[in-house]
């Protein structure tokens, strides 16, 4: 079964061709991604209209590129349809959650291809797709194996959700953030600290400079809800604490000191990363103790964080449970995970019934 997958839920325009077997494995044949991240670095965050406009122009070139890589054939307007008709069995597309304009670009493209090329189409839940990235390996068949039932944590720019994945497609929400997502917390704090968007990698890079060094100033941040006996999380208070810390420090600084103040920013970045990682890992531990899963699936852009990956590894050893994290390139938004979701949750929807759902929940 070969699937053409499309992902446009936020600022990425991604397409992939994957081959796979339900209850088995997924192999990547071709993949391409275009991002408007550079434009959003200038605006300090994603501007939905800008993202959707960029996606309109990059959609077809990205799909062509994924098909070219998969089948080794130059794709042009004269053979585009024939290649999809003869080599693709199914189309998978993200229907939500995400930005409405962005989702529409992907879904309308997928619907058109499904109509014209007479292919079944599968609407994919972006959050579950992140979890399925754990069953994909670009070099070997990682597969579903005996990973389920699993505890899952999706931790991205828009979501921080804890779930139990009982079987493929059967996901129960068991906890998550009450307010900001962990990635959103990194992005908002980065903005306060004068760092570019997206903030997560910036915070991580600065924090790395501090690792193991003694802190010059007192930068204690709270670990919100870390001791609560539930799977609730909260990250919005951290940005307030970071803002307060910056305000206090800046009052006592000259302008020259402010511009040379990278040391303090790095220290705050380090402490922020520690706070977020500690909360995520401690809630995940609680979920593992509660649900005794066969494995843990962690996914989403924030899992690109090195410190989080290190902590997850030692937590796996401590609790004797296998923790899966996707290959780095499949942590942030991509279409391979959407292809995997279409393999593992294969029910098609008639194209005329397929609709975007910007606020789709992880279990829906
Ligand atoms: O999954 P993703 O690409 O998009 C959403 O679905 O939201 O996640 C993007 C988020 C952003 O908030 C970004 O700051 C964060 O992932 N991120 C990181 C790192 N790389 C990306 N956060 C911490 N450390 C990183 N290395
Ligand atoms: Zn995502």
């Amino acid at each position: 079964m070969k699937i053409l997958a499309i992902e446009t839920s936020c600022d990425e325009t991604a397409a992939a061709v994957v081959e796979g077997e339900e209850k088995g494995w997924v192999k990547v044949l071709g993949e391409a991604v275009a991002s408007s991240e550079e434009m959003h670095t200038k605006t300090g965050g994603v501007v939905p209209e800008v993202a959707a406009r960029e996606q309109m122009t990059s959609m077809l070139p990205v799909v062509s590129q994924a098909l070219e890589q998969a089948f080794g054939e130059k794709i042009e307007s004269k053979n585009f349809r024939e290649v999809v008709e003869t080599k693709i069995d199914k189309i998978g597309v993200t229907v939500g959650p995400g930005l409405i304009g962005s989702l529409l670009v992907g879904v309308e493209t997928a619907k058109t291809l499904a109509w014209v090329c007479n292919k079944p189409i599968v609407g994919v839940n972006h959050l579950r797709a992140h979890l399925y990235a754990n069953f994909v390996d670009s070099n070997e068949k990682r597969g579903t194996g005996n990973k389920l039932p699993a505890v899952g944590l999706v931790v991205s720019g828009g979501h921080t959700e804890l779930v139990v994945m009982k079987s493929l497609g059967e996901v129960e929400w068991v906890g998550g953030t009450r307010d900001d997502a962990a990635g959103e917390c990194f992005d908002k704090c980065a903005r306060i600290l004068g760092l570019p968007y997206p903030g997560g990698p910036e915070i991580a890079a600065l924090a790395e400079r501090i690792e193991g060094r003694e802190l010059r100033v007192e930068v204690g941040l709270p670990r919100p809800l870390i001791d609560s006996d539930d799977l609730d999380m909260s990250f919005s208070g951290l940005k307030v604490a970071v803002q307060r810390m910056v305000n206090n420090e800046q009052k006592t600084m000259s302008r020259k000191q402010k511009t040379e103040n990278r040391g303090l920013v790095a220290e705050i970045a380090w402490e922020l990363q520690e706070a977020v990682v500690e909360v995520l890992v401690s809630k995940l531990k609680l979920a593992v103790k509660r649900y005794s899963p066969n494995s843990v699936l962690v996914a989403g852009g924030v899992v690109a964080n090195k410190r989080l990956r290190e902590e997850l590894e030692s937590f796996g050893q401590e609790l004797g449970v296998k923790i899966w994290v996707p290959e780095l390139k499949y942590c942030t938004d991509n279409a391979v995970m959407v292809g995997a979701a279409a393999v593992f949750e294969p029910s098609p929807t008639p194209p005329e019934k397929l609709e975007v759902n910007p606020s789709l929940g992880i279990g829906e």
Side-chain angles (χ1 to χ4, degrees):
M1 169 77 60
K2 290 195 180 77
I3 291 178
L4 170 63
I6 292 176
E7 154 65 38
T8 59
S9 66
C10 190
D11 56 342
E12 259 94 18
T13 313
V17 179
V18 305
E19 185 174 10
E21 237 171 51
E22 195 191 342
K23 295 191 168 58
W25 50 270
V26 163
K27 197 167 126 194
V28 183
L29 302 181
E31 54 187 309
V33 57
S35 174
S36 52
E37 193 176 285
E38 256 176 45
M39 294 182 128
H40 294 116
T41 298
K42 285 184 200 139
T43 46
V46 177
V47 180
E49 290 79 3
V50 174
R53 208 180 314 130
E54 285 302 300
Q55 281 159 329
M56 298 270 283
T57 46
S58 27
M59 189 76 261
L60 287 179
V62 163
V63 171
S64 305
Q65 214 180 317
L67 290 168
E68 273 176 18
Q69 206 186 83
F71 304 118
E73 215 176 303
K74 179 97 188 114
I75 307 287
E76 288 163 324
S77 51
K78 59 178 187 288
N79 66 345
F80 189 110
R81 177 173 169 176
E82 186 204 325
V83 169
V84 176
E85 258 173 5
T86 56
K87 305 204 164 161
I88 295 293
D89 300 299
K90 217 182 223 183
I91 294 170
V93 63
T94 300
V95 292
L99 302 170
I100 186 161
S102 295
L103 288 167
L104 278 168
V105 175
V107 168
E108 292 309 313
T109 306
K111 276 163 107 166
T112 309
L113 287 173
W115 270 110
V116 172
C117 304
N118 197 22
K119 298 290 165 191
I121 187 165
V122 180
V124 167
N125 180 311
H126 178 83
L127 298 174
R128 289 210 292 279
H130 268 301
L131 290 172
Y132 291 131
N134 281 294
F135 304 153
V136 178
D137 190 313
S138 52
N139 299 311
E140 55 186 67
K141 287 181 182 173
R142 194 191 257 204
T144 50
N146 57 355
K147 296 184 179 109
L148 303 181
V151 159
L153 171 68
V154 180
V155 60
S156 68
H159 294 269
T160 303
E161 322 266 12
L162 271 164
V163 297
V164 174
M165 188 184 269
K166 294 175 191 160
S167 60
L168 293 171
E170 198 190 353
V171 165
E172 186 192 347
W173 184 90
V174 295
T177 185
R178 293 177 183 172
D179 39 55
D180 290 355
E184 187 180 359
C185 171
F186 281 131
D187 295 337
K188 287 178 174 170
C189 289
R191 201 178 172 145
I192 294 169
L193 295 170
L195 302 169
Y197 174 86
E202 298 288 328
I203 301 266
L206 276 176
E208 221 167 295
R209 292 210 230 143
I210 294 292
E211 198 75 61
R213 273 205 274 144
E214 218 164 281
L215 298 192
R216 190 171 47 89
V217 286
E218 200 48 57
V219 285
L221 286 172
R223 274 46 175 171
L225 298 181
I226 199 160
D227 294 321
S228 68
D229 188 29
D230 54 30
L231 299 172
D232 281 8
M233 290 176 252
S234 165
F235 295 103
S236 71
L238 281 169
K239 66 175 183 281
V240 181
V242 166
Q243 182 72 67
R244 198 173 302 131
M245 208 175 261
V246 169
N247 292 349
N248 286 345
E249 280 297 316
Q250 292 204 338
K251 262 188 223 149
T252 58
M253 267 187 248
S254 68
R255 180 180 281 181
K256 183 161 184 292
Q257 277 174 316
K258 275 183 202 166
T259 51
E260 288 172 355
N261 200 24
R262 305 303 288 172
L264 172 72
V265 171
E267 289 182 15
I268 296 176
W270 181 83
E271 174 65 4
L272 177 66
Q273 180 175 267
E274 290 302 297
V276 172
V277 168
E278 272 177 42
V279 170
L280 290 173
V281 170
S282 97
K283 292 295 171 174
L284 202 47
K285 272 187 190 163
L286 188 57
V288 167
K289 285 181 186 153
R290 232 172 236 189
Y291 297 102
S292 310
N294 276 3
S295 74
V296 174
L297 309 173
V298 191
V302 178
V303 193
N305 187 277
K306 208 170 121 202
R307 186 84 182 99
L308 177 59
R309 291 169 94 96
E310 279 167 15
E311 285 299 301
L312 289 170
E313 207 181 307
S314 51
F315 148 30
Q317 283 163 5
E318 185 192 323
L319 295 193
V321 62
K322 176 74 187 161
I323 315 256
W324 292 95
V325 291
E327 252 181 86
L328 261 186
K329 63 177 169 175
Y330 302 139
C331 286
T332 46
D333 290 347
N334 65 88
V336 166
M337 69 184 196
V338 175
V343 169
F344 298 130
E345 297 185 21
S347 312
T349 308
E352 67 278 11
K353 297 233 167 85
L354 198 78
E355 283 180 1
V356 300
N357 184 349
S359 54
L360 189 68
I362 194 163
E364 293 175 68

